[in-house]
Amino acid sequence: SPIRQAIRQIANLTIGGAFDLIHESADKEYADLVETKIYDWHKVFDVRGDPYYWQANLRNWIAAIIRDGDVGILLTESADGFPMVQTIPAHRIKCTDEDDRIEGGEFDGAIICNGVILSDIGRPIGYRVYNSSDDSFIDYSASDLMLWFDPEWSDQHRGIPRLASSIPDCQDIKQIRDYIKLAIKAES
């Protein structure tokens, strides 16, 4: 669809080659070593493996912010301690309608709103993530899970999809196209 292609193009243009590491050390040998190590990590840093390398994830995260409003990035590690990340889609960061305070665990008594666990002053201190495999929730500390979004006001805790404001226009365009197709069919 044209909208999907537009999102992809924005993500591609946003990332480009801007996030390629270039080490500026005076020690060329050290700079080459650092660049090689980071480049090698970029190929294997996602828990899902190939094809989720560094540039692909950056594009997907930008697209998620545009399409879904936000995206979670869980800092984790492999069984042998190798640093990795896991993408948490926006629809998995949530809570039940009955939840307004956490009961038990690390965040006992904390406010929860739309999957964001808040301190008494409204600072995000954690996130509640839905696990569909066993219909449960896991709470992660904000130091382990980062929620990326583009805030529009000071106390916003979740992102708003950029596409939301264009939905009525897209519906109008679709309706016009449908009417034009009907008119062409009626005239033929």
Side-chain angles (χ1 to χ4, degrees):
S1 79
I3 293 173
R4 186 172 144 201
Q5 293 304 320
I7 292 170
R8 190 74 174 167
Q9 186 172 10
I10 290 168
N12 283 333
L13 292 173
T14 301
I15 300 307
F19 290 89
D20 292 335
L21 178 71
I22 300 172
H23 197 286
E24 298 287 332
S25 173
D27 183 346
K28 178 78 171 124
E29 187 177 325
Y30 177 74
D32 290 344
L33 176 67
V34 168
E35 285 182 23
T36 300
K37 291 286 185 193
I38 300 264
Y39 177 74
D40 289 346
W41 178 72
H42 282 176
K43 293 187 283 187
V44 296
F45 81 117
D46 191 294
V47 296
R48 297 169 295 176
D50 193 42
Y52 299 100
Y53 56 93
W54 178 250
Q55 294 286 358
N57 269 333
L58 289 175
R59 279 193 305 274
N60 288 338
W61 294 337
I62 298 257
I65 291 168
I66 295 167
R67 182 189 60 241
D68 305 328
D70 52 34
V71 64
I73 300 161
L74 178 64
L75 304 176
T76 186
E77 57 187 33
S78 66
D80 60 355
F82 187 77
M84 303 186 91
V85 301
Q86 178 181 351
T87 300
I88 307 293
H91 69 275
R92 289 190 51 213
I93 301 169
K94 61 183 181 177
C95 54
T96 64
D97 291 337
E98 302 89 48
D99 292 341
D100 62 348
R101 289 227 177 238
I102 303 286
E103 294 180 15
E106 176 184 356
F107 302 108
D108 187 39
I111 299 165
I112 184 166
C113 178
N114 209 9
V116 181
I117 302 168
L118 304 166
S119 71
D120 289 335
I121 61 168
R123 179 184 179 139
I125 57 172
Y127 300 95
R128 180 158 281 182
V129 176
Y130 178 67
N131 183 1
S132 62
S133 65
D134 63 359
D135 195 35
S136 66
F137 290 91
I138 302 169
D139 294 339
Y140 291 102
S141 168
S143 62
D144 294 328
L145 194 151
M146 303 175 292
L147 187 65
W148 284 7
F149 65 98
D150 185 14
E152 294 185 26
W153 61 87
S154 61
D155 61 347
Q156 182 178 345
H157 304 297
R158 294 294 303 266
I160 298 171
R162 295 289 176 227
L163 291 179
S165 62
S166 68
I167 290 173
D169 290 332
C170 292
Q171 289 172 328
D172 289 344
I173 291 167
K174 181 187 180 312
Q175 188 175 34
I176 290 168
R177 284 183 178 166
D178 289 346
Y179 287 152
I180 290 170
K181 289 176 185 178
L182 282 173
I184 291 170
K185 287 178 183 177
E187 290 296 319
S188 63

